[in-house]
Amino acid sequence: MAHSSTLFVGLDVHKDTTAVAYGAEEREAEVVFLGTIGTRQCDIDKLIRKLQAKGKALHFVYEAGPCGYWLYRYLTKKELKCWVVAPSQIPKEAGERVKTDRRDAVQLARLLRSGDLTPVYIPTVEDEAIRDVGRAREDALKDLKAAKVRLKAFLLRQDIRYEGRATWGPAHLRWLAKVVCPTPAQQIVFQEYVRAVSAQTERLQRLEAELPALVQSWRWLPVVEAIQALRGVLTPAYRSFASLAET
């Protein structure tokens, strides 16, 4: 079907709702706020049919955020043009502090039409999968550190001090196994803190064991192997995996 012009569609995407605004290609045309729709695929399909009924090509845009790239992939699979933009790269007027879903959707449509937006790189599904594993490892590492801090703080409150040099090594773990707290209640708390450290350690080890195998089939494997050849980069190069997945 021949399209006479383009409709620029701004989407303010949230978990359960999406605010929609659109503007025709003509600069003098008003940007219209269409309203709020759901986030299911059937809601998106209904919106597409409604806008395509106007006999124009569609160009969508929305901000990158916690909802990810599923909407981009869904629209592009339907051979529709879609951009995802970084919130930090969206031009803002001086003193503009009021934000609503309607304002954001209208602004996105207007800026897309004026050519003032730049799309971000969209990772492939496979790249995003490796990124998710890398992020899960980082989360596990943070949780393990937090669990260790809680255990150390508890022992400090009881004036139970380890006299050895390095913590969390075999000698420290043997010492922890022999710790006896002043009261049964405190002993229960101590044991729970120790179990938390053990659980987070095992979680981190599982992720670190899985990641090298997953990377073997990744398209960036040659680059990862090259990075691992650098001095100071451990095998597997987890940080390198994560950084490549972000590009």
Side-chain angles (χ1 to χ4, degrees), residues 211-233:
L211 191 50
L214 294 170
V215 172
Q216 290 302 311
S217 59
W218 193 27
R219 66 188 181 111
W220 291 109
L221 176 62
V223 181
V224 172
E225 291 176 336
I227 292 174
Q228 288 177 333
L230 298 175
R231 182 177 180 180
V233 179

Side-chain angles (χ1 to χ4, degrees), residues 9-22 32-39 44 47 60-63 71 100-109:
V9 186
L11 305 174
D12 190 47
V13 181
H14 297 284
K15 176 184 176 182
D16 299 316
T17 61
T18 299
V20 183
Y22 68 90
V32 179
F33 179 66
L34 190 60
T36 301
I37 65 172
T39 55
I44 304 301
L47 172 65
F60 293 87
V61 64
Y62 69 95
E63 294 182 16
L71 181 54
T100 66
D101 295 349
R102 176 173 184 155
R103 282 173 177 249
D104 289 347
V106 169
Q107 182 189 42
L108 284 170

Side-chain angles (χ1 to χ4, degrees), residues 27-47:
R27 294 297 180 93
E28 67 277 4
E30 179 184 1
V31 175
V32 179
F33 179 66
L34 190 60
T36 301
I37 65 172
T39 55
R40 298 172 301 174
Q41 291 183 0
C42 61
D43 299 319
I44 304 301
D45 290 339
K46 184 177 179 180
L47 172 65

Side-chain angles (χ1 to χ4, degrees), residues 49-229:
R49 290 193 298 269
K50 186 172 184 177
L51 293 174
Q52 284 181 332
K54 300 180 181 297
K56 299 181 180 182
L58 305 179
H59 186 176
F60 293 87
V61 64
Y62 69 95
E63 294 182 16
C67 293
Y69 303 114
W70 75 266
L71 181 54
Y72 166 87
R73 294 184 178 120
Y74 187 71
L75 292 172
T76 53
K77 189 175 181 180
K78 291 180 172 292
E79 299 183 350
L80 296 169
K81 190 172 183 180
C82 180
W83 282 8
V84 181
V85 297
S88 60
Q89 299 299 315
I90 297 176
K92 293 181 174 59
E93 297 181 4
E96 182 181 0
R97 291 190 177 88
V98 178
K99 280 179 62 66
T100 66
D101 295 349
R102 176 173 184 155
R103 282 173 177 249
D104 289 347
V106 169
Q107 182 189 42
L108 284 170
R110 184 180 293 115
L111 291 173
L112 180 64
R113 182 176 65 183
S114 63
D116 291 320
L117 296 177
T118 302
V120 300
Y121 167 77
I122 307 298
T124 65
V125 173
E126 292 75 17
D127 288 352
E128 192 170 18
I130 296 297
R131 176 192 294 182
D132 286 338
V133 179
R135 285 175 172 171
R137 179 192 172 272
E138 291 298 319
D139 289 341
L141 185 59
K142 291 177 183 177
D143 291 343
L144 174 58
K145 289 181 178 179
K148 289 179 176 180
V149 168
R150 294 188 189 103
L151 176 56
K152 285 184 174 181
F154 172 80
L155 292 174
L156 183 60
R157 291 197 301 270
Q158 315 311 318
D159 195 30
I160 301 175
R161 301 172 184 269
Y162 176 60
E163 301 299 336
R165 299 180 62 183
T167 56
W168 309 114
H172 184 226
L173 295 178
R174 287 194 296 271
W175 175 81
L176 284 174
K178 299 176 182 178
V179 168
V180 177
C181 295
T183 69
Q186 289 169 323
Q187 190 68 26
I188 291 173
V189 173
F190 167 72
Q191 290 172 348
E192 288 301 321
Y193 280 140
V194 171
R195 289 192 186 100
V197 172
S198 298
Q200 296 304 330
T201 300
E202 292 170 1
R203 173 187 169 200
L204 179 61
Q205 290 173 344
R206 287 194 300 271
L207 289 167
E208 290 183 341
E210 293 290 345
L211 191 50
L214 294 170
V215 172
Q216 290 302 311
S217 59
W218 193 27
R219 66 188 181 111
W220 291 109
L221 176 62
V223 181
V224 172
E225 291 176 336
I227 292 174
Q228 288 177 333

